[in-house]
Amino acid sequence: MMLDPDTPPYPERAGERTGWGGLIDGARGLATCRAAERHNGLTLAVVADPAAAYRLCRELEFFSSGRLHVVTLPDWETLPYDAFSPHPDIVSDRLRTLHRLPAITRGVLVVPVRTLLQRLAPPSFLAAHSLLLAVGSRFDAHTYRSQLEQSGYRCVETVSERGEFAVRGSLVDVYPMGAPRPYRIDLFDDVIASLRTFDPDNQRTIDQIDAVEVLPAKEFPLTADAIARFRNRWHATFDVDVRRCPMYQDVSQGMAPSGIEYYLPLFHDRLASVFDYLPQDCLAILPNRLDDAIDAFRRDLKHRYESLRHDIERPILTPDALYLPTDLVFSELNKMRQVVIDATQHRVEFDSQPLPDVAVNHRAHQPGERLVAFAQAAAVPILFTAETAGRREVLAEFLARAGLRPVETADFATFRAGDAPLSMCVAPIDCGVLTPAFALISETQIFGARAEEQVRRDGRAVDADQIIRNLTELTIGAPVVHIEHGVGRYRGLGTLAIDNALTEFLTIEYADAAKLYVPVTALHLISRYGGADEAHAPLHRLGSDQWDKAKRRAAEKIHDVAAELLNIYAHREARGGEALKIPTSEYQHFIDQFPFEVTPDQRRAIDEVIADLTSPKSTDRVPKAVFGERLHRN
């Protein structure tokens, strides 16, 4: 029997397993959503990697129309034993999820495979190091500051990112982990007079609130007891000279150095796992061949461990100290109801089909003829999706010229409840699907996939030109920048024998002929020197604060320039401009005939220029004068 993904079966009792087959990419999120909605408990969805986790979360929110509680426990997105820490936003998301999990009775937890294996701080840690603040409660600024520092927060002059706090007289600003905005605590003597959220960019108040819970800034404590525990276990675990170990020295002084996360077991009496945070009677939705994915990760983990474990200045813990053994993972999963997607045995087949080719043919007389033919022949209602409201307008204009006029709908639930043959909404869907009940067509399948640029988690594009991808890109003597030690000179590639094993290293020379040996596995720590004149590039001194001072001065200059720019743009925003009208049909005709693929940068520039031209605000874009004259002539 073929089933619609709207009615996915799952086991009735813990320990039983069901397989789903015949689900194409576009239908997996729908089937997972429907199973989670029917299950009276928490659903654990395990995916291959962080990208798949992000994609599944977006699909679940769309198919449930926001009615399903969807959270993710993100991966650190660092390689095992890396010498730098995860991004603060990642740590914030992880702590928020772990804190909220015990209270989630129904919903979906999306977890990448590697995070499923990872050992975590125990639930008791979050409970003990979370601080509850409320208007009218007593507040000792000195004690509170000490508690924040012991929870891993940094004291700064102005709060700008999560994990920071500032004390200025009767005002205390703190940006808690897991919080969307920082909070300002206004004191009257030793009582909290008010709590407000504020914008860290302009320091302006946004909302008044009554209470806030402040989570720890790290996944480990920095109390005196925790530091003593770290020191004792370091001595018991590693046979090294602690005077030559910066990690040990920094923690002893109450600091959290980069990469400290991979020493988590030294801070806690015991560690937990994802399974310790889950309630009873969970439904686990797993990828096929989960054991192969776990084995592949453990092979990479073992290789990383063997290549790095001989560093006497930075000794590392064994893989089993940081990650669960495979048999324990499956032992925990076997206590749950299980669904395996794309299972090869004992599976139920779904009637989900890929869409036929409905892509636009820009060279044809009727570019959308294939889409029109499918829409006219379809026996089920069709939902078109666009990624943004602006893209929706472009899609609507194209469909109207092709003779298709879908009605706008708020979300997926409204579409299913309605009776319109053609509908359209904003949704972050990449891959459509054809089922016995409906057809879903994304703009990507109509206009073609657009090239994706590499973007960091904080939303800023990575400068690909600064990344060294291959050793052949380096020349002897070229200035390079190490993320922790500053500017040096590349002196070639060599091998060093460590415990009778040959390992390849990059040699970087610093001032006073000091040399730094960087394993080729840590090539991501090295970037090109971006100065205008390589011949006059500085040469930093290892072990000094020269590089830290340079970064601090650069940050101060950036702050000054940003303040100046804000002033300029504030004046520009106050002045009016001329709003132009875009000739939609002519412009769309030009787009349809354009024979080349538009890059993400070009797409962004085009959208921004058009937005400026149609806005009554003044702008300083050079293309306005040229493009605006052409629009007037047309």
Short mmCIF file of all heavy atoms in Angstrom, two decimals, residues 155-202:
data_model
loop_
_atom_site.label_atom_id
_atom_site.label_comp_id
_atom_site.label_asym_id
_atom_site.label_seq_id
_atom_site.Cartn_x
_atom_site.Cartn_y
_atom_site.Cartn_z
N CYS A 155 33.73 40.91 31.58
CA CYS A 155 33.41 42.29 31.90
C CYS A 155 34.02 43.21 30.85
O CYS A 155 35.22 43.15 30.58
CB CYS A 155 33.95 42.64 33.29
SG CYS A 155 33.49 44.31 33.84
N VAL A 156 33.19 44.05 30.24
CA VAL A 156 33.62 44.96 29.18
C VAL A 156 33.09 46.36 29.48
O VAL A 156 32.29 46.55 30.39
CB VAL A 156 33.12 44.48 27.79
CG1 VAL A 156 33.74 43.15 27.43
CG2 VAL A 156 31.59 44.39 27.77
N GLU A 157 33.54 47.33 28.68
CA GLU A 157 33.05 48.70 28.86
C GLU A 157 31.65 48.86 28.28
O GLU A 157 30.79 49.52 28.87
CB GLU A 157 34.01 49.69 28.21
CG GLU A 157 35.37 49.79 28.91
CD GLU A 157 36.24 50.85 28.29
OE1 GLU A 157 35.77 51.54 27.35
OE2 GLU A 157 37.39 51.01 28.74
N THR A 158 31.43 48.29 27.09
CA THR A 158 30.13 48.39 26.44
C THR A 158 29.73 47.01 25.93
O THR A 158 30.49 46.38 25.19
CB THR A 158 30.17 49.38 25.26
OG1 THR A 158 30.60 50.65 25.73
CG2 THR A 158 28.78 49.52 24.63
N VAL A 159 28.56 46.54 26.31
CA VAL A 159 28.09 45.22 25.91
C VAL A 159 27.72 45.22 24.43
O VAL A 159 26.98 46.08 23.97
CB VAL A 159 26.87 44.82 26.77
CG1 VAL A 159 26.19 43.59 26.20
CG2 VAL A 159 27.29 44.58 28.20
N SER A 160 28.26 44.24 23.68
CA SER A 160 27.95 44.16 22.25
C SER A 160 27.60 42.75 21.79
O SER A 160 26.98 42.57 20.75
CB SER A 160 29.13 44.67 21.42
OG SER A 160 30.29 43.89 21.65
N GLU A 161 28.01 41.72 22.54
CA GLU A 161 27.70 40.36 22.12
C GLU A 161 27.43 39.49 23.34
O GLU A 161 27.73 39.87 24.47
CB GLU A 161 28.82 39.76 21.27
CG GLU A 161 30.16 39.63 21.97
CD GLU A 161 31.23 39.07 21.06
OE1 GLU A 161 31.19 39.32 19.84
OE2 GLU A 161 32.11 38.36 21.58
N ARG A 162 26.87 38.31 23.07
CA ARG A 162 26.48 37.42 24.16
C ARG A 162 27.70 37.00 24.98
O ARG A 162 28.78 36.83 24.45
CB ARG A 162 25.79 36.18 23.60
CG ARG A 162 24.42 36.48 22.97
CD ARG A 162 23.81 35.23 22.38
NE ARG A 162 22.50 35.49 21.81
CZ ARG A 162 22.30 35.90 20.57
NH1 ARG A 162 23.34 36.10 19.77
NH2 ARG A 162 21.08 36.13 20.12
N GLY A 163 27.48 36.85 26.28
CA GLY A 163 28.56 36.45 27.17
C GLY A 163 29.33 37.63 27.75
O GLY A 163 30.39 37.44 28.34
N GLU A 164 28.78 38.85 27.61
CA GLU A 164 29.44 40.04 28.13
C GLU A 164 28.54 40.75 29.14
O GLU A 164 27.32 40.65 29.09
CB GLU A 164 29.78 41.02 27.00
CG GLU A 164 30.80 40.49 26.01
CD GLU A 164 31.10 41.49 24.90
OE1 GLU A 164 30.29 42.42 24.70
OE2 GLU A 164 32.13 41.32 24.22
N PHE A 165 29.18 41.50 30.07
CA PHE A 165 28.43 42.35 30.98
C PHE A 165 29.26 43.60 31.27
O PHE A 165 30.48 43.63 31.08
CB PHE A 165 28.07 41.61 32.27
CG PHE A 165 29.22 41.42 33.23
CD1 PHE A 165 29.42 42.31 34.29
CD2 PHE A 165 30.09 40.36 33.08
CE1 PHE A 165 30.47 42.12 35.17
CE2 PHE A 165 31.15 40.18 33.96
CZ PHE A 165 31.35 41.06 35.01
N ALA A 166 28.56 44.66 31.69
CA ALA A 166 29.22 45.92 32.02
C ALA A 166 28.55 46.51 33.25
O ALA A 166 27.32 46.43 33.40
CB ALA A 166 29.13 46.89 30.84
N VAL A 167 29.35 47.11 34.11
CA VAL A 167 28.84 47.74 35.33
C VAL A 167 29.20 49.22 35.28
O VAL A 167 30.38 49.58 35.19
CB VAL A 167 29.43 47.09 36.59
CG1 VAL A 167 28.88 47.77 37.84
CG2 VAL A 167 29.12 45.60 36.62
N ARG A 168 28.17 50.07 35.32
CA ARG A 168 28.39 51.52 35.28
C ARG A 168 27.51 52.17 36.36
O ARG A 168 26.35 52.51 36.11
CB ARG A 168 28.05 52.10 33.90
CG ARG A 168 28.89 51.52 32.78
CD ARG A 168 28.72 52.34 31.50
NE ARG A 168 27.33 52.43 31.09
CZ ARG A 168 26.70 51.49 30.38
NH1 ARG A 168 27.36 50.40 30.03
NH2 ARG A 168 25.43 51.64 30.03
N GLY A 169 28.06 52.28 37.55
CA GLY A 169 27.31 52.87 38.66
C GLY A 169 26.10 52.04 39.01
O GLY A 169 26.20 50.86 39.36
N SER A 170 24.91 52.66 38.90
CA SER A 170 23.68 51.97 39.25
C SER A 170 23.09 51.20 38.08
O SER A 170 22.00 50.64 38.20
CB SER A 170 22.64 52.97 39.77
OG SER A 170 22.31 53.90 38.75
N LEU A 171 23.79 51.18 36.93
CA LEU A 171 23.33 50.44 35.76
C LEU A 171 24.23 49.23 35.53
O LEU A 171 25.47 49.34 35.55
CB LEU A 171 23.35 51.32 34.51
CG LEU A 171 22.36 52.48 34.46
CD1 LEU A 171 22.53 53.26 33.15
CD2 LEU A 171 20.92 51.97 34.58
N VAL A 172 23.61 48.08 35.29
CA VAL A 172 24.34 46.86 34.96
C VAL A 172 23.76 46.31 33.66
O VAL A 172 22.56 46.01 33.59
CB VAL A 172 24.22 45.79 36.08
CG1 VAL A 172 24.98 44.53 35.68
CG2 VAL A 172 24.75 46.34 37.39
N ASP A 173 24.59 46.21 32.63
CA ASP A 173 24.17 45.63 31.35
C ASP A 173 24.70 44.21 31.25
O ASP A 173 25.85 43.94 31.61
CB ASP A 173 24.72 46.45 30.18
CG ASP A 173 24.12 47.84 30.11
OD1 ASP A 173 23.10 48.07 30.78
OD2 ASP A 173 24.68 48.69 29.39
N VAL A 174 23.88 43.31 30.76
CA VAL A 174 24.31 41.93 30.56
C VAL A 174 23.64 41.38 29.31
O VAL A 174 22.47 41.66 29.05
CB VAL A 174 23.97 41.06 31.81
CG1 VAL A 174 22.48 41.05 32.09
CG2 VAL A 174 24.49 39.64 31.63
N TYR A 175 24.42 40.64 28.53
CA TYR A 175 23.89 40.00 27.31
C TYR A 175 23.90 38.50 27.57
O TYR A 175 24.87 37.82 27.31
CB TYR A 175 24.76 40.35 26.11
CG TYR A 175 24.05 40.23 24.77
CD1 TYR A 175 24.49 40.93 23.66
CD2 TYR A 175 22.93 39.41 24.60
CE1 TYR A 175 23.85 40.84 22.43
CE2 TYR A 175 22.28 39.30 23.39
CZ TYR A 175 22.76 40.02 22.29
OH TYR A 175 22.11 39.91 21.09
N PRO A 176 22.79 37.95 28.08
CA PRO A 176 22.78 36.54 28.47
C PRO A 176 22.87 35.60 27.27
O PRO A 176 22.42 35.92 26.17
CB PRO A 176 21.43 36.38 29.18
CG PRO A 176 20.96 37.76 29.47
CD PRO A 176 21.53 38.62 28.40
N MET A 177 23.44 34.44 27.49
CA MET A 177 23.42 33.39 26.48
C MET A 177 21.98 32.93 26.30
O MET A 177 21.23 32.81 27.25
CB MET A 177 24.30 32.22 26.91
CG MET A 177 25.72 32.61 27.25
SD MET A 177 26.57 33.46 25.89
CE MET A 177 27.09 32.07 24.89
N GLY A 178 21.60 32.69 25.05
CA GLY A 178 20.25 32.24 24.75
C GLY A 178 19.23 33.35 24.67
O GLY A 178 18.06 33.09 24.38
N ALA A 179 19.65 34.60 24.88
CA ALA A 179 18.71 35.73 24.85
C ALA A 179 18.82 36.44 23.50
O ALA A 179 19.91 36.58 22.95
CB ALA A 179 19.00 36.70 25.98
N PRO A 180 17.69 36.93 22.96
CA PRO A 180 17.75 37.63 21.68
C PRO A 180 18.36 39.02 21.79
O PRO A 180 18.89 39.54 20.80
CB PRO A 180 16.27 37.72 21.26
CG PRO A 180 15.51 37.64 22.54
CD PRO A 180 16.31 36.77 23.45
N ARG A 181 18.30 39.65 22.99
CA ARG A 181 18.83 41.00 23.17
C ARG A 181 19.47 41.12 24.56
O ARG A 181 19.16 40.36 25.47
CB ARG A 181 17.71 42.05 23.05
CG ARG A 181 17.10 42.15 21.66
CD ARG A 181 16.13 43.32 21.61
NE ARG A 181 15.54 43.46 20.28
CZ ARG A 181 14.39 42.93 19.93
NH1 ARG A 181 13.71 42.21 20.81
NH2 ARG A 181 13.90 43.10 18.72
N PRO A 182 20.35 42.11 24.72
CA PRO A 182 20.91 42.34 26.05
C PRO A 182 19.90 43.02 26.97
O PRO A 182 18.89 43.58 26.52
CB PRO A 182 22.10 43.27 25.77
CG PRO A 182 21.76 43.96 24.49
CD PRO A 182 20.93 42.99 23.70
N TYR A 183 20.19 42.97 28.28
CA TYR A 183 19.29 43.52 29.29
C TYR A 183 20.03 44.59 30.11
O TYR A 183 21.23 44.47 30.36
CB TYR A 183 18.78 42.42 30.23
CG TYR A 183 17.93 41.39 29.54
CD1 TYR A 183 18.50 40.26 28.97
CD2 TYR A 183 16.56 41.54 29.44
CE1 TYR A 183 17.73 39.31 28.32
CE2 TYR A 183 15.77 40.60 28.80
CZ TYR A 183 16.37 39.48 28.24
OH TYR A 183 15.60 38.55 27.60
N ARG A 184 19.28 45.61 30.51
CA ARG A 184 19.82 46.67 31.35
C ARG A 184 19.11 46.64 32.70
O ARG A 184 17.88 46.73 32.76
CB ARG A 184 19.65 48.03 30.68
CG ARG A 184 20.13 49.22 31.51
CD ARG A 184 20.41 50.41 30.62
NE ARG A 184 21.55 50.14 29.75
CZ ARG A 184 21.74 50.73 28.56
NH1 ARG A 184 20.84 51.58 28.09
NH2 ARG A 184 22.81 50.45 27.84
N ILE A 185 19.90 46.51 33.76
CA ILE A 185 19.38 46.44 35.12
C ILE A 185 19.59 47.81 35.75
O ILE A 185 20.73 48.27 35.89
CB ILE A 185 20.09 45.35 35.93
CG1 ILE A 185 20.03 44.00 35.19
CG2 ILE A 185 19.51 45.24 37.33
CD1 ILE A 185 21.00 42.97 35.73
N ASP A 186 18.51 48.47 36.12
CA ASP A 186 18.57 49.79 36.75
C ASP A 186 18.31 49.61 38.25
O ASP A 186 17.26 49.09 38.64
CB ASP A 186 17.52 50.71 36.11
CG ASP A 186 17.74 52.16 36.51
OD1 ASP A 186 18.64 52.43 37.33
OD2 ASP A 186 17.00 53.03 36.00
N LEU A 187 19.28 50.02 39.06
CA LEU A 187 19.21 49.79 40.50
C LEU A 187 18.78 51.05 41.25
O LEU A 187 19.15 52.17 40.87
CB LEU A 187 20.57 49.33 41.04
CG LEU A 187 21.16 48.04 40.44
CD1 LEU A 187 22.54 47.80 41.01
CD2 LEU A 187 20.24 46.87 40.70
N PHE A 188 18.01 50.85 42.29
CA PHE A 188 17.73 51.90 43.28
C PHE A 188 18.23 51.37 44.61
O PHE A 188 17.62 50.48 45.22
CB PHE A 188 16.24 52.21 43.34
CG PHE A 188 15.91 53.30 44.33
CD1 PHE A 188 16.18 54.62 44.03
CD2 PHE A 188 15.35 52.98 45.55
CE1 PHE A 188 15.89 55.62 44.94
CE2 PHE A 188 15.05 53.98 46.47
CZ PHE A 188 15.33 55.30 46.17
N ASP A 189 19.41 51.88 45.01
CA ASP A 189 20.12 51.33 46.16
C ASP A 189 20.48 49.87 45.85
O ASP A 189 21.21 49.61 44.91
CB ASP A 189 19.29 51.47 47.43
CG ASP A 189 20.13 51.27 48.69
OD1 ASP A 189 21.37 51.27 48.56
OD2 ASP A 189 19.56 51.14 49.78
N ASP A 190 19.95 48.90 46.59
CA ASP A 190 20.27 47.49 46.32
C ASP A 190 19.03 46.72 45.85
O ASP A 190 18.92 45.51 46.06
CB ASP A 190 20.86 46.82 47.57
CG ASP A 190 19.91 46.85 48.76
OD1 ASP A 190 18.89 47.57 48.67
OD2 ASP A 190 20.19 46.17 49.76
N VAL A 191 18.11 47.43 45.19
CA VAL A 191 16.89 46.80 44.68
C VAL A 191 16.81 47.06 43.17
O VAL A 191 17.14 48.16 42.70
CB VAL A 191 15.63 47.36 45.39
CG1 VAL A 191 14.36 46.79 44.75
CG2 VAL A 191 15.67 47.04 46.87
N ILE A 192 16.34 46.06 42.41
CA ILE A 192 16.17 46.23 40.97
C ILE A 192 14.94 47.09 40.72
O ILE A 192 13.81 46.66 40.99
CB ILE A 192 16.04 44.86 40.27
CG1 ILE A 192 17.31 44.03 40.46
CG2 ILE A 192 15.75 45.05 38.78
CD1 ILE A 192 17.24 42.64 39.84
N ALA A 193 15.17 48.31 40.20
CA ALA A 193 14.06 49.22 39.94
C ALA A 193 13.39 48.93 38.61
O ALA A 193 12.17 49.08 38.47
CB ALA A 193 14.55 50.67 39.97
N SER A 194 14.17 48.52 37.61
CA SER A 194 13.59 48.21 36.30
C SER A 194 14.51 47.28 35.54
O SER A 194 15.72 47.23 35.78
CB SER A 194 13.35 49.49 35.48
OG SER A 194 14.58 50.09 35.10
N LEU A 195 13.91 46.51 34.62
CA LEU A 195 14.64 45.64 33.69
C LEU A 195 14.20 46.01 32.29
O LEU A 195 13.00 46.07 32.00
CB LEU A 195 14.34 44.16 33.97
CG LEU A 195 15.03 43.51 35.17
CD1 LEU A 195 14.43 42.13 35.42
CD2 LEU A 195 16.52 43.38 34.92
N ARG A 196 15.16 46.26 31.40
CA ARG A 196 14.83 46.68 30.04
C ARG A 196 15.72 45.95 29.04
O ARG A 196 16.89 45.70 29.33
CB ARG A 196 15.04 48.19 29.88
CG ARG A 196 14.14 49.06 30.72
CD ARG A 196 14.60 50.50 30.70
NE ARG A 196 15.81 50.69 31.50
CZ ARG A 196 16.55 51.80 31.51
NH1 ARG A 196 16.21 52.81 30.74
NH2 ARG A 196 17.61 51.89 32.27
N THR A 197 15.15 45.62 27.90
CA THR A 197 15.97 45.17 26.78
C THR A 197 16.42 46.40 26.01
O THR A 197 15.72 47.43 26.00
CB THR A 197 15.20 44.23 25.85
OG1 THR A 197 14.07 44.93 25.30
CG2 THR A 197 14.71 43.00 26.59
N PHE A 198 17.60 46.31 25.37
CA PHE A 198 18.09 47.45 24.61
C PHE A 198 18.86 46.98 23.39
O PHE A 198 19.28 45.81 23.28
CB PHE A 198 18.96 48.36 25.48
CG PHE A 198 20.27 47.76 25.92
CD1 PHE A 198 21.44 47.96 25.19
CD2 PHE A 198 20.34 47.01 27.08
CE1 PHE A 198 22.65 47.42 25.62
CE2 PHE A 198 21.55 46.45 27.51
CZ PHE A 198 22.70 46.66 26.77
N ASP A 199 19.02 47.89 22.44
CA ASP A 199 19.75 47.63 21.21
C ASP A 199 21.24 47.86 21.47
O ASP A 199 21.63 48.98 21.84
CB ASP A 199 19.25 48.56 20.10
CG ASP A 199 19.84 48.22 18.74
OD1 ASP A 199 20.98 47.71 18.69
OD2 ASP A 199 19.17 48.47 17.72
N PRO A 200 22.10 46.85 21.29
CA PRO A 200 23.52 47.05 21.60
C PRO A 200 24.21 48.03 20.64
O PRO A 200 25.28 48.55 20.96
CB PRO A 200 24.11 45.63 21.46
CG PRO A 200 23.17 44.91 20.57
CD PRO A 200 21.82 45.48 20.86
N ASP A 201 23.61 48.29 19.48
CA ASP A 201 24.24 49.20 18.52
C ASP A 201 24.07 50.66 18.91
O ASP A 201 25.00 51.45 18.81
CB ASP A 201 23.68 48.96 17.12
CG ASP A 201 24.05 47.60 16.58
OD1 ASP A 201 25.14 47.10 16.94
OD2 ASP A 201 23.27 47.02 15.80
N ASN A 202 22.85 51.03 19.34
CA ASN A 202 22.61 52.43 19.69
C ASN A 202 22.29 52.64 21.17
O ASN A 202 22.05 53.78 21.60
CB ASN A 202 21.49 53.02 18.83
CG ASN A 202 20.20 52.20 18.93
OD1 ASN A 202 19.90 51.60 19.96
ND2 ASN A 202 19.43 52.18 17.84
#
